[in-house]
Amino acid sequence: MKRYIVGLGEALWDVLPDGKKLGGAPANFAYHAGQFVGQENTLAVSALGEDKLADETIASLEEHGLTYLMPRVPYPTGTVQVTLDEEGIPSYNIKENVAWDNIPMNGDIEEVARNCRAVCFGSLAQRNVVSRETIQRFLDLTPADCVKIFDINLRQQFYTKEIIQESMRRCNILKINDEELVIIGRMFGYPGLDIENKCWLILGKYNLDMLVLTCGTNGSYVFTPGHVSFQETPKVEVADTVGAGDSFTGSFCAAILQGKSVAEAHKLAVSVSAYVCTQNGAMPVVPEELK
């Protein structure tokens, strides 16, 4: 069994003002990690409906060279209405009770979990009990050396304190942005701490290997025990920011698995996500000079 780098969670279409594009953090993450380690070594795991949109999803995944494991279930394939403000910043209306809310734990997914090299998961796909139990079971089955990234991705009202705590207990890398950190600070009862102290507290409390904090145009940080890496955000002409965070996570994960230092992986991730912001859609081809 191949040791895949796995994006686990929601498979959906972002319905943008200029048409629909395949989205969802797991496929975006797997695609961007795959640009550095080979798409044959990454895997997007989710669920699709028994509808035309599911067929379009598979066609799009294959067009992007993505390997996928997405059982069909009797629910509609997921969609998200995306609106962009004048700066290209997206807001989302995420349809409920769709296929990716009902990812079944089957033998194939279990085997992937037992041989997983790295997995990225979020809070959104855990909003429904079926997918939540599958994701938690997947994480519990992974080998001891598996890199488990919780890219928290707080969306609308689709998260609870319990889901976040359970996810933090199961991950060894947390990725969070500055706005999400404020929400978590309030939720966990330490709103008075500054940004860095909140990060150090979470890193220690959950015994994490790394905490990645992105602050939009104000740069990004990677906290590891006793050390912090900072990178400024490059100034670029933004087309849209859809998928930029997933490209950061995917390229960062790939670089770490290839033996790069935290600082090298961080620098690459910043460069890749800045490039993705200059392109329309979540899955542009990264230029060779970044690879």
Side-chain angles (χ1 to χ4, degrees), residues 12-63:
L12 48 83
W13 287 85
D14 290 317
V15 184
L16 293 140
D18 61 345
K20 71 179 190 297
K21 293 187 172 72
L22 183 65
N28 294 342
F29 166 83
Y31 173 78
H32 285 290
Q35 293 199 83
F36 296 90
V37 300
Q39 298 295 0
E40 70 279 4
N41 297 311
T42 65
L43 186 67
V45 176
S46 187
L48 298 174
E50 297 164 340
D51 51 19
K52 182 171 175 287
L53 204 51
D55 298 334
E56 289 183 43
T57 305
I58 287 168
S60 184
L61 289 166
E62 291 179 350
E63 183 187 329

Side-chain angles (χ1 to χ4, degrees), residues 80-96:
V80 177
Q81 292 295 138
V82 183
T83 52
L84 304 173
D85 67 16
E86 56 272 15
E87 294 174 349
I89 308 299
S91 56
Y92 305 92
N93 178 18
I94 305 166
K95 304 300 180 199
E96 294 189 63

Side-chain angles (χ1 to χ4, degrees), residues 18 35 44 81 101 159 165 173 246 251:
D18 61 345
Q35 293 199 83
Q81 292 295 138
D101 284 315
Y159 57 89
Q165 284 177 319
I173 299 177
D246 301 322
S251 52

Side-chain angles (χ1 to χ4, degrees), residues 2-6 111-119 138 142-143 145-147:
K2 182 177 281 189
R3 293 202 68 190
Y4 286 106
I5 298 171
V6 175
E111 189 177 6
V112 168
R114 292 185 190 280
N115 294 279
C116 186
R117 189 176 179 206
V119 56
F138 186 103
T142 55
D145 65 346
C146 180
V147 175

